[in-house]
Amino acid sequence: MSSSDVARQGQERNARPLSLSGHVGFDSLPDQLVSKSTNQGFCFNILCIGETGIGKSTLMDTLFNTNFENFESSHFEPRVKLRAQTYDLQESNVRLKLTIVNTVGFGDQMNKQESYQHVVDYIDTQFESYLQEELKIKRALHNYHDSRIHACLYFIAPSGHSLKSLDLVTMKKLDSKVNIIPVIAKADTISKSELHKFKIKIMSELVSNGVQIYQFPTDDETVSKINTSMNGHLPFAVVGSTEEVKIGNKMVKARQYPWGVVQVENENHCDFVKLREMLICVNMEDLREQTHTRHYELYRRCKLEEMGFKDTDPESKPVSLQETYEAKRQEFLLELQRREEEMRQMFVQRVKEKEAELKEAERELQGKFEQLKRLHADEKSKLDDKRKSLEDEMNSFSKKKAAAELLQGQSLSANSNIKKDKDRKNSGFM
Amino acid sequence: MADTAKTTHPQPAGRPEKGAEFGYVGIDAILEQMRRKAMKQGFELNIMVVGQSGLGKSTLINTLFKSKVSRRSVMPSDEERIPKTIEIKSVSHDIEEKGVRMKLTVIDTPGFGDQINNENCWQPIMKFINEQYEQYLQEEINISRKKRIPDSRVHCCIYFIPPTGHCLRPIDIEFMRHLSKVVNIVPVIAKADTLTLEERDFFKQKIREDLRVNEIEVYPQKEFDEDSEDRMINDKIREMIPFAVVGSDQEYQVNGKRLLGRKTRWGTVEVENTAHCEFAYLRDLLIRTHMQNLKDITSSIHYEVYRVRRLNENNTHPSDQPNGHSNGVPTHEVLSHEM
């Protein structure tokens, strides 16, 4: 930056410019910053949108020079799904946590009206979880694994004519939420002249429909030249391949056809190198920054406004977030209280009903008990009667028996008396 | 719907040498991108100096940044004017070195420790520091907020200990005890050229003992060491604090070289000579190695503590005392100046 900029900024920020008379040493600050970031590691999330079989996974493999263990998806998905996979990559001393999100089943349904919605929802969910973390009271932002999508590669089918309506609709819905980089997939099916016309057609359609794709930044002098020229090559026509073919005496990534070999890293054959250059080598940090300062802030603003927070109230006086938050909280607490009261009432009601039921049951039981008791008493009295009568019978029987015995005894003694008399008589007679 | 992410570790096929056509992805180019972005944005640093008048605070700042940061021609000299209360004076400067631009803000506290009754002398300073946190917090919770929130939070507070040679005074202990919880404190022994090396070592030991007994954690705080490498480096620093410094903005000829120093009849104290005083260590710590760390600890730890306390205040009943880092000032209303 020139000294005039320094002076201008000094005026803006109420700071006077000062000249140093010796080496202080704070020029090591960028190094300190970089070493801190290296220790923490970096995070980058790419979203690939495109029809099934258009070459998304192959391109990712080619771009990052590894095999991401993808498997082919079927064409019969009922709904668009998103599959996210996270990888830890390392090159020299830089560790990158790369998340690749692929759409599954995009463009396969008969009715594609809802296709873009799932993608939009996914992107919003990532923003939402970051917002939640930021709004927490006890938060850990520097340790947070940032899952917001930093770049969206939109794969355009190489028809050679123009964009499909699904493409236009999807990109229109996404352009305010994510950095869109359109690429023409399987570019080896288009000839050079057709490609040129195709690119012009695509860009003009995007412009006329008001779709804002990601522009590589041109404000920094070190990269503005290369970025401006690359902006003119959009959308990049790419070819992906993980197979290697021997050309000359080197093994290069290429696709072999009977009529020739398409070399992936040959700039005459396709724009793959340009894509890699732009996406990774030159603008990765800018993509992350745009996501954070533009798309995320927009989301945050809309979300908070939706929830009813404002910076200024209808009289244009600044309203603090806390006051609104307090008011909302009070509302919420009142609502909770009301619900609690309702539930309590319901509970009391139920208890009363149950009580009544139980009382009823108790009464019934009591009634039954009484009845049984009565029956029992009846039976008892009956039995008593019977016993009494039995006893009476026994008594009378025993009386009779006693009388009979007495009689018998008497008669016996009479007999014996008679006998004795007889004997006496007999003996007396003798 | 997104499935949950799973982490795998594919073999990194990238070769480290740049320019190799085959196998190079370019992930490490992000370091260069970050550096570019940082250089473009510039840096901010806010240093506060606290100490009694006459301890050489302004001179030390001038020596640290090799320029007339405090313009004594503008400020009345210290003998003429001793402020009735503690003032907080904040002056910003734009400095640039080898393409790196920095906005340096020096916050001076004239009047600290100069009154007859110095009780609660730390309160205005605490209030100022909390005000900066409050300002940042308000900006952060706005609906539409700026791209870069201006950072006026105090990153480092240099506390000047007078070279008595005995131990810490009550005012020192009080101040550091309260403020070490909200800001990074770097204690230094001012005007260390009045102490011999043995006296200096004894004094330092005594100070470290006092700090330990009063449970005062000065920078670099033990609890924020991230890994064993950090701990090793910081342990070496902790063995040396407080740094015994001498400041000077005048150059003298010593052994054919022009050096910053203080000339006396019995010799010249060279400021940047580590055998004479520890200014070079202080400068290296503050500027060359730990500047980013100071800012990180301020923003991710001290500021977060403030934020938690502030946001919790709205939830708990005002009569509850916030637990954790308490500053001793009764908080019965949600007003920043009473925190």
Side-chain angles (χ1 to χ4, degrees), chain A residues 9 31 36 281 285 289, chain B residues 23 27 33 35 37 101 296:
Chain A
Q9 279 184 348
D31 293 322
K36 173 190 99 163
C281 304
E285 184 58 32
E289 196 178 331
Chain B
I27 298 178
Q33 298 171 30
R35 194 187 304 259
K37 180 177 103 171
R101 289 172 305 112
D296 287 339

Side-chain angles (χ1 to χ4, degrees), chain A residues 214-329:
Chain A
Y214 176 71
Q215 295 291 321
F216 303 119
T218 49
D219 46 2
D220 188 347
E221 349 170 288
T222 26
V223 293
S224 69
K225 216 168 67 151
I226 188 173
N227 276 346
T228 332
S229 89
M230 290 299 180
N231 273 331
H233 281 109
L234 280 173
F236 294 127
V238 294
V239 176
S241 168
T242 45
E243 288 163 357
E244 288 169 15
V245 173
K246 201 171 172 84
I247 303 277
N249 54 356
K250 282 200 304 180
M251 296 293 282
V252 295
K253 288 193 280 245
R255 285 176 65 77
Q256 179 142 57
Y257 291 106
W259 48 89
V261 178
V262 180
Q263 294 161 37
V264 167
E265 282 172 334
N266 185 334
E267 295 213 39
N268 286 330
H269 290 193
C270 72
D271 295 332
F272 172 80
V273 175
K274 294 194 179 77
L275 175 68
R276 183 176 65 194
E277 190 72 15
M278 286 292 102
L279 187 64
I280 302 176
C281 304
V282 177
N283 295 312
M284 198 195 265
E285 184 58 32
D286 186 69
L287 283 163
R288 278 155 37 115
E289 196 178 331
Q290 290 289 327
T291 307
H292 180 67
T293 54
R294 210 153 54 116
H295 301 295
Y296 170 71
E297 285 297 313
L298 182 65
Y299 174 83
R300 179 178 175 274
R301 199 163 46 232
C302 293
K303 193 70 197 298
L304 289 178
E305 273 172 12
E306 202 183 298
M307 295 206 303
F309 294 107
K310 290 186 290 293
D311 271 338
T312 62
D313 65 7
E315 292 102 49
S316 292
K317 283 208 298 271
V319 172
S320 88
L321 191 72
Q322 276 167 322
E323 284 171 25
T324 332
Y325 179 70
E326 257 310 293
K328 284 228 163 304
R329 219 172 147 269

